[in-house]
């Protein structure tokens, strides 16, 4: 689903991509499987991060760099259960989430066509587990805006303005992709074309039309 202005023509465009759920597959089922492997209820990961007051506080602090991933691992492991090992907790939960291969191919095609790329990600920590390096997408981008490093997170409008500044293009020539609908309106209000990535194939098709490129998967 596309919101905002149309982009196109022969001019250089900007593609601004979220990370989790856009450049990776939806992690929900992987996290449920991981929970079972850790002798937890299948929904324990999401319940702890989203519904538990202390879990929400810890995750929000991690996103904007108030705490590091190692401290988050310790605090969240204790909430999950006393038997849960805190060592590299985030890395263990995320290790098996696969990359979104078609979306990554689309990003490569956009860059090959001369468009500029920016990563705009609400971080879930960089050390000891770096999710961007794990998926191998960091070097795809001309600019990086990661909430932990900036001290602010989506949907704060300031982080979208920072992404535009880093990518060096006006909002009307940029497309932003995110899997969380709440993160789209601030981009659209700035004049950025916003794409809601509910389904990878549909989102890639929308971006191919907007950017005038074709995603080609390699073996």
């Amino acid at each position: 689903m596309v919101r905002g202005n149309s982009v196109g023509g022969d001019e250089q465009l900007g593609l601004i991509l979220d990370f989790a759920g856009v450049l990776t597959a939806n992690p929900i089922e992987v996290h449920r499987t991981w929970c079972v492997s850790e002798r937890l209820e299948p929904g324990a990961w999401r319940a702890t991060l989203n519904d538990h007051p202390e879990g929400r506080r810890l995750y929000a602090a991690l996103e904007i760099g108030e705490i590091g991933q190692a401290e988050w691992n310790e605090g969240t492991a204790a909430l999950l259960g006393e038997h849960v090992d805190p060592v590299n907790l985030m890395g263990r939960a995320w290790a098996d989430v696969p990359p979104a291969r078609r979306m990554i191919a689309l990003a490569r095609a956009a860059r090959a066509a001369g468009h500029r790329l920016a990563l705009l990600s609400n971080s879930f920590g960089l050390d000891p587990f770096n999710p961007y390096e794990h998926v191998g997408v960091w070097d795809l981008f001309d600019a990086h805006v990661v909430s932990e490093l900036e001290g602010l997170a989506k949907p704060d409008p300031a982080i979208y303005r920072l992404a535009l500044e880093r990518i060096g293009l006006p909002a009307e020539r940029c497309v932003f992709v995110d899997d969380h609908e709440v993160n789209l309106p601030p981009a659209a209000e700035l004049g950025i074309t916003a794409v809601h990535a509910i389904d990878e194939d549909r989102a890639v098709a929308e971006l191919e039309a907007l950017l005038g490129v074709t995603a080609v998967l390699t073996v």
Side-chain angles (χ1 to χ4, degrees):
M1 180 179 66
V2 179
R3 294 184 180 183
N5 302 320
S6 296
V7 295
D10 296 328
E11 62 187 353
Q12 185 183 50
L13 303 174
L15 177 60
I16 305 171
L17 295 174
D18 175 41
F19 176 69
V22 173
L23 291 163
T24 76
N26 188 314
I28 290 176
E29 288 308 314
V30 172
H31 287 159
R32 289 177 65 85
T33 300
W34 176 82
C35 284
V36 173
S37 75
E38 294 278 332
R39 295 181 289 119
L40 299 167
E41 291 296 319
W45 179 264
R46 289 184 64 81
T48 301
L49 273 59
N50 295 339
D51 302 329
H52 192 292
E54 178 64 4
R56 290 200 308 271
R57 186 196 70 78
L58 286 168
Y59 197 82
L62 176 66
E63 279 189 324
I64 60 172
E66 289 182 349
I67 62 173
Q69 194 183 84
E71 183 179 346
W72 180 90
N73 288 340
E74 290 282 348
T76 303
L79 297 178
L80 285 165
E82 61 182 20
H83 69 282
V84 176
D85 185 355
V87 175
N88 194 28
L89 174 65
M90 185 69 80
R92 299 200 323 271
W94 273 89
D96 291 333
V97 177
R101 296 182 64 240
R102 292 205 68 227
M103 186 62 76
I104 293 171
L106 181 282
R108 294 189 190 282
R111 188 164 192 182
H115 301 312
R116 290 183 60 78
L117 271 64
L119 176 70
L120 176 52
S121 173
N122 279 3
S123 173
F124 44 99
L126 297 169
D127 181 59
F129 174 73
N130 186 317
Y132 313 107
E133 290 182 356
H134 180 74
V135 175
V137 297
W138 188 260
D139 292 338
L140 269 177
F141 296 95
D142 301 291
H144 305 85
V145 182
V146 176
S147 64
E148 178 180 3
L149 302 178
E150 310 301 340
L152 68 163
K154 296 175 290 185
D156 187 330
I159 203 167
Y160 302 85
R161 291 194 290 268
L162 183 58
L164 290 173
E165 179 184 321
R166 297 260 175 95
I167 205 170
L169 291 169
E172 294 75 17
R173 282 164 52 191
C174 291
V175 181
F176 169 61
V177 187
D178 202 293
D179 62 322
H180 291 295
E181 190 169 14
V182 69
N183 292 331
L184 300 178
E189 288 165 10
L190 289 171
I192 301 169
T193 297
V195 174
H196 190 192
I198 304 171
D199 172 83
E200 183 183 3
D201 288 341
R202 186 192 308 175
V204 167
E206 291 174 354
L207 291 169
E208 287 176 327
L210 286 167
L211 301 172
V213 301
T214 300
V216 178
L217 287 173
T218 57
V219 177

